[in-house]
Amino acid sequence: MTPSRNPDLHGSAPDKSDVVLLLIDVINDFNFPEGDQLLLHAMSMAPHLSALKAEAKQLRIPVVYVNDNFGRWRSDFRHIVEHCTRPEAAGRRFVEQLRPADDDYFILKPKHSGFFATGLEMLLAYLGTQRVILTGIAGNICVLFTANDAYMRDLGLVVPRNCVASNTQAENDFALCQMGGILKANTSESTALDLAATGSRASGNES
């Protein structure tokens, strides 16, 4: 007899939602070549993403941090948050605007796509997700790679153009054009999205 499928991830994924908000690589120390250039654009994007996250939380849309492990194979997500919010960290002011809450999910990724060698696909399956809202940095690299893999998994895509940032505006615009034209993503600004309708079937564990 085939074993019955577990109803959830052993209690680790209590939410159920058609749509999920993904924050990609926003816990970041920007300690890499051209990091200061990316940080400049990221700081302009941060208030929009912070507001979008607050609205998602109010509507009980699950929030998932999909973050690079920065080659720190012995670190966990909380350690990475601490590392990126040190007083001397270049990205401290950016990260502090987007700190994870205790009830947010997180996935650590070793490469560009949030789906490669991670548990993201399984988590989304248990949540019952059919559409993902992709945000974060860099729009033309990790956001784009994650969008490609989401599209290959038949997930609907929303990529709010004011909630992604790249090293240059031209690179960001090109990535948005690719995601909108080829991956059929909705690339409207976050203020134009009707999250209440998008997340109308989102629900949480009341216990």
Side-chain angles (χ1 to χ4, degrees):
M1 179 181 294
T2 303
S4 60
R5 184 172 180 266
N6 288 336
D8 59 35
L9 289 176
H10 305 287
S12 299
D15 300 303
K16 294 293 179 184
S17 180
D18 288 349
V19 62
V20 165
L21 174 62
L22 303 185
L23 279 70
I24 300 172
D25 287 344
V26 299
I27 308 303
N28 206 305
D29 63 4
F30 295 89
N31 184 24
F32 47 82
E34 300 181 348
D36 55 343
Q37 186 179 12
L38 177 57
L39 178 58
L40 181 66
H41 292 278
M43 286 298 294
S44 298
M45 174 268 285
H48 302 293
L49 180 47
S50 178
L52 179 65
K53 181 191 173 184
E55 184 179 1
K57 299 285 284 187
Q58 185 176 16
L59 294 169
R60 297 170 65 192
I61 293 173
V63 174
V64 182
Y65 284 74
V66 181
N67 218 88
D68 197 279
N69 67 7
F70 299 112
R72 296 171 180 270
W73 292 93
R74 293 188 175 93
S75 296
D76 60 21
F77 185 59
R78 289 174 179 80
H79 180 79
I80 291 173
V81 174
E82 291 172 3
H83 170 78
C84 294
T85 52
R86 293 167 300 137
E88 67 273 22
R92 178 178 58 84
R93 288 179 52 240
F94 173 77
V95 174
E96 285 178 343
Q97 297 180 68
L98 299 167
R99 273 184 176 272
D102 289 341
D103 60 347
D104 292 334
Y105 298 96
F106 65 87
I107 295 286
L108 287 179
K109 62 184 179 69
K111 299 288 282 186
H112 304 86
S113 171
F115 288 92
F116 179 77
T118 77
L120 179 59
E121 185 170 11
M122 181 180 289
L123 174 60
L124 295 179
Y126 274 96
L127 294 174
T129 302
Q130 299 176 20
R131 183 183 302 106
V132 288
I133 304 172
L134 300 184
T135 66
I137 55 179
N140 64 324
I141 305 176
C142 294
V143 176
L144 178 58
F145 275 67
T146 302
N148 283 331
D149 281 355
Y151 181 76
M152 293 292 287
R153 288 160 173 78
D154 294 321
L155 291 166
L157 291 171
V158 180
V159 187
R161 61 177 49 251
N162 61 335
C163 292
V164 294
S166 305
N167 279 19
T168 69
Q169 189 61 50
E171 289 172 323
N172 210 54
D173 289 343
F174 179 77
L176 287 164
C177 184
Q178 293 288 100
M179 290 185 279
I182 297 174
L183 307 182
K184 309 299 187 293
N186 177 353
T187 60
S188 302
E189 292 199 354
S190 59
T191 52
L193 299 177
D194 186 351
L195 278 194
T198 302
S200 59
R201 282 173 283 181
S203 64
N205 189 338
E206 295 294 333
S207 60

